[in-house]
Amino acid sequence: MTPLARLIAERIRETAPITVADYMAECLLHPVHGYYTTRDPFGTAGDFTTAPEISQMFGELLGLALAQAWLDRGSPARFTLAELGPGRGTLMADILRATRTVPGFHAAARITLVEASPRLREVQAATLAACQPIWLDRVEDLPEAPLFLIANEFLDALPIRQFQRGPQGWQERLIGLRDNTLTFGLSVPLPQTLDTPAFRDAAEGALVEDNLPARRAVAEVANRIARHGGIAYWIDYGGWRSQGDTLQALHQHRPDDPLTHPGQADLTAHVDFEPLAALAQAFAYDTQGAVLTRLGIDARAERLARNLTGAALESHRAAHRRLTHASEMGSLFKVLAITSAGAPQPPGFA
Ligand code: SAH
């Protein structure tokens, strides 16, 4: 048992089984034992790798997309350039390098990072020292100003709840104890659930996930964009509609049982974009492969390849393929861009 598993078991014994959301929140952000609180999980020594850590092209192209959107919206003189869950700060560093030559863009930008982990804030401070970012604890704290925002693999880390449709109605999936071991169970049938298409259309036996913190975060951002203008790019793995049980744990680059290493494994769920898109005045949605291709990744990859040989060239070609190919991240990962009513088309979409 991990130290956090003991604490969670104690809490369940003293009170009652807990929701999957409570469990995820403890595992990821417990102040002492939480996964993100205690470590830098990225790269070969960690548990997983993300698109900005795979290639600089990811941040460069999305940075230019944000700058183009800023120009298309009349270059607001002061705006928030925000990232949610910036990890090591690599994506923001690539965005800033790629947009250096866009006249006025850096001067108008207030670089703002929403990050819950003190450990990762330190890493971000080191990566981004030159641009003097400010840190916020919560999306709700973003200023009232034009907002140009990016969030890569942020929503998948927010706690989901899971509901199953049984013969007597909906029940919530809970985590309780059997023989002193954490185990999944079901609540008594619930009087009501959400009224969303995924719940309405579910067949008996189906499991539906709901991510309330993700809906809150997207609503906060969408409301600011509706009031002050701007654009937000949300990139994550998932699909349009809830697809059953997608709770997954990764431990040292390998799939793990979600209940086995609380606090020591990464815990995520696929993102359902339909209920998030519904919160925006206007949106566009496509696969990561399609969006990066429209933003010009093939030409950028060729340009970078010219200066490379041998193993470095091979690894660059592999990174290009990994980001875009349908059998790798290209179609599992989606991009949701949200804008305001009547705003110009988001760069990267048809
Ligand atoms: N965007 C980065 C990191 C993704 S991992 C990349 O692409 O490499 C998820 C990030 O979100 C981490 O930085 C984690 O600490 C942060 N995070 C997770 N839950 C959060 C929350 N509730 N509030 C703020 N940040 C959170």
Side-chain angles (χ1 to χ4, degrees):
M1 257 192 167
T2 68
L4 186 58
R6 271 192 283 280
L7 291 179
I8 294 173
E10 213 168 284
R11 170 174 167 193
I12 293 170
R13 216 173 286 117
E14 285 167 3
T15 57
I18 60 173
T19 65
V20 172
D22 282 345
Y23 178 75
M24 264 183 99
E26 291 281 34
C27 289
L28 296 179
L29 294 174
H30 184 280
V32 180
H33 302 293
Y35 181 75
Y36 285 116
T37 332
T38 53
R39 72 194 71 211
D40 172 356
F42 308 99
T44 42
D47 294 302
F48 59 90
T49 309
T50 57
E53 304 297 333
I54 291 170
S55 168
Q56 67 186 77
M57 296 188 289
F58 184 79
E60 290 171 348
L61 295 168
L62 285 160
L64 291 171
L66 287 171
Q68 184 61 53
W70 177 74
L71 293 167
D72 291 344
R73 283 157 183 73
S75 314
R78 292 291 286 165
F79 73 96
T80 310
L81 179 57
E83 183 176 355
L84 310 182
R88 284 180 170 167
T90 309
L91 174 54
M92 184 54 85
D94 291 338
I95 288 173
L96 292 172
R97 194 183 58 257
T99 54
R100 225 171 15 202
T101 54
V102 178
F105 187 67
H106 282 202
R110 190 81 189 89
I111 293 148
T112 306
L113 309 173
V114 177
E115 175 57 66
S117 159
R119 173 82 183 77
L120 287 174
R121 280 188 186 203
E122 280 172 26
V123 181
Q124 293 153 18
T127 314
L128 298 167
C131 71
Q132 298 181 305
I134 57 166
W135 280 269
L136 303 175
D137 290 332
R138 306 170 325 147
V139 179
E140 290 87 322
D141 302 331
L142 284 169
E144 292 292 336
L147 178 58
F148 293 75
L149 178 142
I150 193 147
N152 184 59
E153 292 208 41
F154 171 72
L155 298 170
D156 67 65
L158 300 182
I160 54 150
R161 291 172 69 181
Q162 295 184 320
F163 300 89
Q164 195 165 331
R165 183 164 209 164
Q168 298 144 54
W170 287 99
Q171 293 169 283
E172 180 157 12
R173 200 168 183 224
L174 299 175
I175 292 151
L177 286 174
R178 188 182 299 133
D179 304 329
N180 270 329
T181 306
L182 298 174
T183 182
F184 285 110
L186 289 173
S187 75
V188 297
L190 303 168
Q192 60 180 43
T193 55
L194 287 177
D195 186 27
T196 65
F199 280 92
R200 277 199 296 276
D201 300 348
E204 195 177 306
L207 187 144
V208 173
E209 297 181 334
D210 177 52
N211 194 331
L212 176 64
R215 286 188 286 118
R216 282 217 181 105
V218 172
E220 291 288 337
V221 169
N223 291 345
R224 279 167 183 73
I225 290 173
R227 284 195 289 265
H228 309 286
I231 193 167
Y233 285 92
W234 310 85
I235 307 109
D236 231 306
Y237 47 97
W240 188 241
R241 177 83 59 102
S242 176
Q243 301 155 62
D245 176 15
T246 70
L247 182 68
Q248 63 179 41
L250 262 188
H251 189 49
Q252 293 159 0
H253 288 271
R254 274 192 299 274
D256 193 26
D257 181 300
L259 302 185
T260 307
H261 295 104
Q264 295 174 3
D266 184 39
L267 213 51
T268 63
H270 282 40
V271 174
D272 306 326
F273 286 95
E274 181 181 46
L276 305 178
L279 300 166
Q281 285 184 342
F283 73 87
Y285 173 79
D286 210 333
T287 62
Q288 174 174 300
V291 171
L292 291 179
T293 300
R294 282 192 209 99
L295 291 176
I297 195 168
D298 295 340
R300 181 67 184 137
E302 282 316 307
R303 177 76 193 74
L304 288 170
R306 273 188 239 154
N307 303 324
L308 299 171
T309 53
L313 178 60
E314 262 172 51
S315 126
H316 168 66
R317 296 240 186 265
H320 177 201
R321 185 186 150 86
R322 196 160 165 205
L323 291 179
T324 53
H325 199 274
S327 67
E328 305 217 27
M329 297 169 81
S331 51
L332 173 62
F333 279 72
K334 310 296 191 304
V335 185
L336 173 68
I338 66 178
T339 60
S340 49
Q345 176 78 357
F349 292 86

